[in-house]
Amino acid sequence: EIVMTQSPATLSVSPGERATLSCRASQSVSSNLAWYQQKPGQAPRLLIYGASTRATGIPARFSGSGSGTEFTLTISSLQSEDFAVYYCQQYNNWTWTFGQGTKVEIK
Amino acid sequence: EVQLVESGGGLVKPGGSLRLSCAASGFTFSSYSMNWVRQAPGKGLEWVSSISSSSSYIYYADSVKGRFTISRDNAKNSLYLQMNSLRAEDTAVYYCARDLVGGNSGDYWGQGTLVTVSS
């Protein structure tokens, strides 16, 4: 089973600042990596798929990069609505595995 | 507008059974693979099961294999999850999610239905 590890667990950022979230896979997942945003009481929302492709309607301030085992989600200038929990997810042989999440909170 | 609406959650005793449903609308349901993903209270996301568009391919997480059964009825635009031999650790919000074509991820999610396993 591929294990996904996200860091940090919590990221304190001021509005307008850049946020950089990391996700590491225990073995290569190529570019089969997605990022989701989840706010309290809501379903996850797809932000990025294929490691770097923004999903429909996702603002350009969200960007993804990486391949193999190391991935990054960058939020270029945090808006108030961006404070949430972010999950990475890998796809391998029809199964998904999620990271444990990074909470982005207001500094 | 794509909509996924889960139902069927509730309180069940350990060892009991429950059947979840996910009603899909706003897209050609029969063309998409579908997934169930769960989230225990205060915890992260856990993939549960996937089913291909024609039900030819079905996969389960090890944690539910042999106890849960995923199925779909394309004529009714519905996805199901039959859950048997339920355990306390199955307590979670269960989401259905549409598989993004070529994207290997969930592009649309329902609002979730809560399953509580407790005596």
Side-chain angles (χ1 to χ4, degrees), chain A residues 56-75:
Chain A
T56 302
I58 301 303
R61 64 180 182 272
F62 291 93
S63 63
S65 63
S67 66
T69 62
E70 300 284 342
F71 301 89
T72 301
L73 174 70
T74 301
I75 311 171

Side-chain angles (χ1 to χ4, degrees), chain A residues 1 32-34 36 38 41-46 48-50 56 87 89-91 93-100, chain B residues 33 35 37 39 43-47 50-52 57 59 95 97-100 102-107 109-111:
Chain A
E1 177 190 332
N32 294 318
L33 193 286
Y36 299 87
Q38 188 179 35
Q42 296 185 15
R45 173 195 182 196
L46 179 65
I48 301 286
Y49 64 92
T56 302
Y87 294 95
Q89 170 247 313
Q90 69 83 28
Y91 166 89
N93 290 333
W94 277 86
T95 65
W96 297 358
T97 310
F98 292 89
Q100 80 279 16
Chain B
S33 297
N35 304 271
V37 175
Q39 186 170 36
K43 302 298 184 183
L45 301 168
E46 180 188 15
W47 170 81
S50 295
I51 185 168
S52 63
Y57 301 97
Y59 299 88
Y95 297 100
R98 190 181 82 166
D99 217 74
L100 175 66
N104 302 324
S105 53
D107 61 349
W109 297 59
Q111 85 290 349

Side-chain angles (χ1 to χ4, degrees), chain B residues 20-71:
Chain B
L20 306 183
S21 299
C22 172
S25 61
F27 65 102
T28 305
F29 180 72
S30 59
S31 296
Y32 288 82
S33 297
M34 297 293 295
N35 304 271
W36 287 101
V37 175
R38 68 185 181 183
Q39 186 170 36
K43 302 298 184 183
L45 301 168
E46 180 188 15
W47 170 81
V48 173
S49 182
S50 295
I51 185 168
S52 63
S53 57
S54 60
S55 304
S56 297
Y57 301 97
I58 288 175
Y59 299 88
Y60 299 98
D62 288 343
S63 57
V64 307
K65 202 172 294 183
R67 300 187 299 121
F68 289 12
T69 302
I70 191 173
S71 63

